[in-house]
């Protein structure tokens, strides 16, 4: 049985997620889960899996580490996904009767890291169609507004999928204009007014829609890491699809055919609304 949130998610926050495609929920994750996440991040960094990566270059003054799906080998991350309140919070914001856990990601920027996280939408990277999909970005360190993840308010309703790019070298995944994937716009030049970049504390959650444009600067702080776990959640309307080129993460081993719901047993159903 998953744990309850530290406080109720308000109707205004649900409405803000609908309108903006992003909302920062202050003080909603009970603090003991922050300790679980710290343990999970350390476990991911001490072992390696298919998607464990150093995104920063050798001459970067810091280190940008990322990983997808580390919960498969790090029990603390699976515990957080299955037993923390994030599944309920995702279902509430998605106005869904259920939430299923798709995958987790670890994002660590050591002090002084120069490498940014390129502007992108998450959904075009992988095999999910539907509107009920969100990402819950949970920092375990205080993150000031010039270091935090930046989300473009309203971009989830632009009606456009942008070409996914690799953080390391901005290489693509074999999806381009002829497949319906547009070149990402210059967000800092053309959409600066719509950027949400809230200062955050451990226990706060930044939740954004799968089609929300987001990116992050490096970590300019001298003495503090920026350690984060994000988890991706789908609701009632999400289905499996195939896209041209490479998918990341790749869910082709889950036994689903295009058009089938993303549901258990392929993806654990973590929260279910009781009437
Ligand atoms: O934390 C970051 O720097 C990147 C996070 C991100 O792009 C994501 O959660 O999709």
């Amino acid at each position: 049985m998953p744990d309850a949130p530290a406080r109720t998610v308000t109707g205004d926050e649900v409405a803000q997620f609908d309108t903006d495609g992003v909302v920062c929920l202050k003080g909603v994750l009970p603090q003991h889960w922050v300790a679980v996440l710290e343990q999970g991040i350390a476990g991911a960094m001490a072992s390696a899996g298919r998607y464990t990566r150093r995104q920063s270059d050798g001459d970067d003054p810091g280190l940008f580490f990322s990983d997808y799906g580390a919960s498969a080998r790090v029990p603390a991350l699976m515990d957080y996904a299955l037993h923390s309140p994030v599944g309920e919070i995702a279902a509430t914001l998605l106005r869904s009767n259920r939430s299923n856990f798709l995958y987790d990601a670890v994002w660590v920027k050591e002090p002084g890291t120069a490498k940014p996280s390129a502007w992108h939408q998450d959904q075009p990277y992988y095999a999910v169609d539907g509107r009920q999909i969100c990402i819950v970005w949970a920092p375990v360190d205080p993150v000031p507004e010039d270091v935090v993840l930046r989300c473009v308010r309203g971009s989830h309703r632009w009606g456009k999928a942008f070409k996914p790019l690799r953080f390391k070298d901005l290489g693509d995944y074999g999806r381009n204009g002829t497949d319906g994937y547009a070149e990402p716009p210059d967000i800092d030049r053309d959409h600066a007014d719509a950027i949400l970049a809230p200062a955050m504390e451990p226990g706060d959650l930044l939740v954004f829609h799968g089609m929300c444009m987001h990116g992050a600067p490096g970590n300019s702080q001298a003495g503090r890491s920026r350690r984060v776990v994000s988890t991706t959640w789908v609701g009632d309307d999400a289905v499996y699809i195939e896209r041209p080129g490479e998918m990341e993460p790749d869910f082709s081993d889950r036994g689903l055919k295009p058009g089938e719901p993303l549901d258990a047993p392929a993806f654990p159903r973590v929260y279910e609304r009781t009437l």
Side-chain angles (χ1 to χ4, degrees), residues 102-124:
L102 204 69
Y103 75 103
D104 54 283
V106 173
W107 309 99
V108 175
K109 292 190 178 181
E110 301 284 23
T113 300
K115 185 80 175 172
S117 311
W119 288 107
H120 65 286
Q121 301 155 314
D122 280 4
Q123 212 167 329

Side-chain angles (χ1 to χ4, degrees), residues 32 63 95-96 112 144 159 206 216 222 246 260:
H32 62 272
L63 168 76
R95 300 182 199 268
S96 179
L206 188 64
E246 190 188 335
E260 287 186 343

Side-chain angles (χ1 to χ4, degrees), residues 121-130 133 160-162 164 173-176 179-181 210-211 239-249 258 262:
Q121 301 155 314
D122 280 4
Q123 212 167 329
Y125 281 72
Y126 43 71
V128 179
D129 200 14
I133 171 163
K160 269 190 180 170
F162 297 110
Y173 288 84
R175 297 191 258 301
N176 55 44
D179 305 311
Y181 294 84
M211 293 302 283
V239 296
Y240 183 79
I241 52 161
E242 285 170 358
R243 299 180 190 272
E246 190 188 335
M247 305 285 187
E248 188 172 285
L262 290 162

Side-chain angles (χ1 to χ4, degrees), residues 63-85:
L63 168 76
F64 179 9
F65 169 94
S66 74
D67 204 353
Y68 296 146
S71 58
R73 64 179 199 276
V74 180
L77 293 174
M78 189 58 88
D79 185 23
Y80 171 75
L82 300 184
H83 303 124
S84 83

Side-chain angles (χ1 to χ4, degrees), residues 46-65:
S47 57
R50 175 175 175 188
Y51 294 109
T52 307
R53 287 188 189 137
R54 184 190 188 110
Q55 302 283 7
S56 44
D57 300 323
D59 59 354
D60 194 298
L63 168 76
F64 179 9
F65 169 94

Side-chain angles (χ1 to χ4, degrees), residues 64 107 109 117 120 122 135 137 149 167 208 214 216 226 230:
F64 179 9
W107 309 99
K109 292 190 178 181
S117 311
H120 65 286
D122 280 4
I135 298 89
W137 195 85
L149 192 77
F167 282 10
F208 55 95
H214 61 283
R226 193 223 67 172
S230 67

